[in-house]
Amino acid sequence: MSDKPEKFIDENGLRLDGRQINEIRQMKIKIGVLSRADGSCYLEWGNNKILVAVYGPRELHPRRLQKADSALIRYRYNMAAFSVEERIRPGPSRRSIEISKVSREAFEPVIMTHLYPGAVIDVFAEVLQADAGTRTAAINAASVALADAGIPMKGLVSACAVGKVDGQLVLDLNKAEDNYGQADLPVAMTQDGEITLLQMDGDMTQEEFRKALEMCKEGCRQILEMQKEALKAKFADDTALPVPDE
Ligand code: UDP
């Protein structure tokens, strides 16, 4: 049994959800949603719903795990059991361990860990509802949550995927495009365009790959603007608070 659509792109060049081939899904970003975390972010992207909490920098225990010259970054990507159609068995899986590892690596070049020897920075990314692109959605949310926690970074990280359906490259895959498409290329990059995560499923020609990277770059540029806007809105509000009397 398969619910694979016959066509992914109609005669007007629109996708099944009505988007243009280079259009990303709607994104909403809320910052500082968890009072006990040092930084947090709730992000909706299409039908994805992601919550990220950041703790730290704080002293790492047990001490034998501490690094003498820098902070350790830990990143846990987790899908809630109810986040997908077929219940996910709680606990780490091969997939979640892999995503946690590559997502941590996506932040290592930007977080200024050398400022906090012996410390740890923990990022918990919880997928509450999944609809393709959860690793990139979680990275976008984590980037904002890290900034909310005041973790010194060289810049924000933004992420999105390009895929191939009906032989055409499309930006920011939805579930059907992800499940039945011919390729999926999630990419994360710094605001200077340095790629910090690149994975690929399926196949593309060299020319398609080059074009896909350009599309990802444009998608990440748009996401970066939304991340910056959300941070500006949050911190503009904070500075508007009355200064307490001495
Ligand atoms: N998915 C699922 N069950 C799983 C893993 C994934 O239903 O155990 C769905 C979920 O909607 C996810 C999509 O398949 O977003 C694509 O998964 P993929 O592994 O490509 O990662 P993602 O695109 O979410 O980063």
Side-chain angles (χ1 to χ4, degrees):
M1 192 193 78
S2 161
D3 47 4
K4 179 176 179 192
E6 259 177 44
K7 268 173 78 179
F8 288 91
I9 299 175
D10 71 13
E11 50 287 353
N12 300 316
L14 295 179
R15 292 148 75 178
L16 293 170
D17 52 16
R19 281 184 292 153
Q20 309 273 357
I21 54 170
N22 59 354
E23 189 178 342
I24 59 172
R25 292 172 286 184
Q26 263 218 339
M27 187 181 284
K28 274 198 247 166
I29 303 176
K30 260 184 136 178
I31 303 178
V33 289
L34 299 172
S35 60
R36 292 194 191 90
D38 295 315
S40 58
C41 175
Y42 172 70
L43 183 143
E44 288 184 5
W45 193 3
N47 293 321
N48 289 309
K49 297 185 178 178
I50 318 280
L51 186 59
V52 172
V54 169
Y55 293 85
R58 56 186 178 182
E59 195 176 350
L60 175 60
H61 293 284
R63 296 183 73 149
R64 65 185 152 79
L65 297 180
Q66 290 184 0
K67 298 209 288 190
D69 54 355
S70 65
L72 184 77
I73 305 168
R74 293 191 294 212
Y75 188 111
R76 192 189 73 177
Y77 164 101
N78 182 57
M79 273 186 152
F82 51 79
S83 63
V84 289
E85 250 167 61
E86 200 165 313
R87 178 181 180 276
I88 300 250
R89 191 190 160 133
S93 62
R94 281 175 69 114
R95 177 178 174 276
S96 72
I97 292 168
E98 173 206 312
I99 294 177
S100 299
K101 175 186 182 285
V102 295
S103 304
R104 172 173 52 74
E105 289 168 354
F107 284 101
E108 279 175 346
V110 295
I111 298 180
M112 299 166 85
T113 49
H114 63 280
L115 297 176
Y116 304 104
V120 62
I121 297 165
D122 277 303
V123 181
F124 297 98
E126 297 291 321
V127 179
L128 307 177
Q129 187 171 287
D131 197 50
T134 56
R135 76 194 64 200
T136 48
I139 288 171
N140 290 327
S143 185
V144 171
L146 283 159
D148 182 37
I151 308 282
M153 290 190 286
K154 292 180 194 155
L156 293 167
V157 174
S158 312
C160 67
V162 164
K164 190 163 80 167
V165 291
D166 295 346
Q168 276 207 54
L169 296 177
V170 291
L171 183 60
D172 183 23
L173 301 176
N174 62 32
K175 184 82 187 323
E177 292 167 343
D178 187 305
N179 280 10
Y180 303 113
Q182 298 146 283
D184 178 11
L185 176 79
V187 171
M189 58 180 76
T190 66
Q191 54 192 60
D192 302 325
E194 186 193 335
I195 292 175
T196 61
L197 174 146
L198 191 150
Q199 298 184 284
M200 190 164 114
D201 263 351
D203 54 80
M204 284 184 191
T205 63
Q206 279 192 19
E207 189 45 37
E208 283 171 337
F209 181 74
R210 261 191 291 274
K211 186 156 178 244
L213 278 187
E214 280 310 307
M215 287 170 77
C216 276
K217 215 172 197 169
E218 177 51 27
C220 288
R221 198 192 55 72
Q222 291 176 24
I223 293 162
L224 175 65
E225 284 314 307
M226 291 187 265
Q227 291 170 309
K228 281 191 194 163
E229 278 310 309
L231 284 163
K232 269 192 218 154
K234 160 92 191 306
F235 290 105
D237 267 8
D238 280 3
T239 50
L241 288 174
V243 181
D245 291 338
E246 288 194 16

